[in-house]
Amino acid sequence: MQVTTVHHAPAGTDHTVIGAASGLLGQYRAAPDEAFFASPTRTLLAEGVHARVPQDGRPLAERVADTLARARRDGIEHPLVVGAVAFDHDGRAELAVPARLRGCGALRDDPLIALPAPAADRIDWNVRPVPAPEAYGAGVAEAVNRLQDGELSKVVLARTLELQADCPLDLPAILQRLARRDPGGYTFGVPAGGGRTLIGASPELLLSRHGAAVVANPLAGSVPRSADLGEDVRRAAALLESPKDLHEHAFVVDAIRAALAPYCRTLDVPERPTLVRTAAMWHLATTITAELADPAVSALELAVALHPTPAVCGSPTPLARAAIREIEPFDRGLYAGMVGWGDADGDGEWVVTLRCAEADERTLRVFAGAGVVAESRPEAELAETSAKFRTFLDAAGVPR
């Protein structure tokens, strides 16, 4: 059994073979033992399962390390795990060492990714929001009351759309549309357990590690894009100066700085955020770089130490978690967890599981959330989640 691995190309070089990345994307079939992951550095297609990470009471990093060590003893020269981890630390982790792994350069560096994706099928959709919009607004208002009472600094509240199709879904085509719309982001299709697939395109890197070099790129504070160029620029500029959004963003950056500091020899945190854009949204972003004090600490260990950040949970974390459980009428499952890969050398890329859905043959459960602070208004957070839904809904061909 042979597993091929993707090696980091030296900075400033490009070893991309034209058509390789888009070719792997085109070969993804959403099978129960198949996973696809694309980032700004690489594209991976995992097929078959050599070993699954067990679901037991041990810490996740320990379970993964043991699974990778066994795979190496089995003769896999460069084993890695790929898959998704739930929002709750005591939730499930759908991670496996693939039987076969193919990899190449980034989708964004493949010129063929600019070719159009297959058109969406005409589907009659039955859409059920959970909770209903008015109930979500009431939840935001309740959270604002707690924030104004000083109980919390921030809480992230999510909602879902449950969609039923009148015919089987073409999940590989949905992934194609997600990837070709934002090829510079993080696109994934991985098993979600129970025959379901987690599919999406996240804009947010939780953490990557290559050797001793660590990068985190938290996003918090968002505004929908506009089709009008002038209005789009105005919205971006306003986001950079928005006290509410800068306040929300600062919570996330401060939390990541505090979580990373014990592990790092150096830590560089820019004073002000910049902007990241997707096809649907503008986001405030800060690129945090660090050098590990102990290079034996894996990317997964660091990601677990960060997760969940205030970008998907809130602050303080225990109180925000409690508020989410009380206010949200559903289990987040893998949504707002982390998805990616980690290898036996400790390198890896883990991204926040956003702009995604859990899918089976005819159903989609689409997720979106918004950060609530004391200045938040229910109607604004409802609009933000509606805009975030569009990333996935457009790819699935759900009419506006």
Side-chain angles (χ1 to χ4, degrees), residues 111-316:
L112 298 189
I113 199 64
L115 295 176
D121 296 329
R122 295 180 62 88
I123 294 175
D124 184 14
W125 294 97
N126 178 40
V127 182
R128 184 172 79 96
V130 180
E134 59 273 16
Y136 180 76
V140 172
E142 179 183 343
V144 168
N145 287 336
R146 298 188 186 194
L147 289 154
Q148 292 176 344
D149 289 342
E151 180 181 343
L152 291 162
S153 300
K154 174 185 174 179
V155 63
V156 179
L157 294 181
R159 63 190 186 104
T160 73
L161 298 177
E162 296 180 355
L163 294 93
Q164 179 79 36
D166 65 345
C167 62
L169 298 172
D170 188 344
L171 297 183
I174 292 175
L175 189 70
Q176 286 260 0
R177 289 189 286 273
L178 286 168
R180 293 180 186 275
R181 193 179 189 205
D182 282 313
Y186 301 88
T187 307
F188 52 89
V190 300
R196 297 176 66 80
T197 299
L198 177 70
I199 186 169
S202 176
E204 184 169 1
L205 173 67
L206 178 62
L207 182 131
S208 69
R209 197 211 88 163
H210 176 46
V214 172
V215 178
N217 188 212
L219 309 184
S222 306
V223 68
R225 303 284 306 275
S226 173
D228 177 82
L229 178 59
E231 174 62 15
D232 196 43
V233 171
R234 189 200 67 76
R235 291 182 184 183
L239 181 61
L240 273 175
E241 301 300 328
S242 164
K244 180 261 185 189
D245 291 286
L246 290 170
H247 181 56
E248 178 185 343
H249 189 81
F251 281 124
V252 181
V253 173
D254 289 345
I256 290 179
R257 177 196 286 113
L260 282 180
Y263 299 95
C264 298
R265 177 179 292 110
T266 63
L267 186 59
D268 181 30
V269 183
E271 290 186 6
R272 287 186 60 84
T274 57
L275 288 172
V276 165
R277 67 183 180 190
T278 67
M281 303 292 294
W282 285 105
H283 300 281
L284 292 178
T286 296
T287 300
I288 298 170
T289 56
E291 181 184 1
L292 285 177
D294 179 4
V297 178
S298 71
L300 181 60
E301 289 176 85
L302 294 168
V304 169
L306 298 184
H307 172 69
T309 74
V312 293
C313 183
S315 181

Side-chain angles (χ1 to χ4, degrees), residues 84-85 87 156 158 178 186-188 198-206 217-220 222 278 281 283 307 309 311-313 332 334-339 350-358 365-370 384 388-389 391-392:
V85 178
F87 170 73
V156 179
L178 286 168
Y186 301 88
T187 307
F188 52 89
L198 177 70
I199 186 169
S202 176
E204 184 169 1
L205 173 67
L206 178 62
N217 188 212
L219 309 184
S222 306
T278 67
M281 303 292 294
H283 300 281
H307 172 69
T309 74
V312 293
C313 183
R332 289 188 176 188
L334 297 173
Y335 166 70
M338 53 189 186
V339 60
W350 297 98
V351 305
V352 185
T353 311
L354 303 173
R355 313 296 185 272
C356 64
E358 287 197 15
R365 190 182 187 201
V366 187
F367 301 85
E384 180 176 327
K388 289 175 176 175
F389 277 137
T391 294
F392 199 95

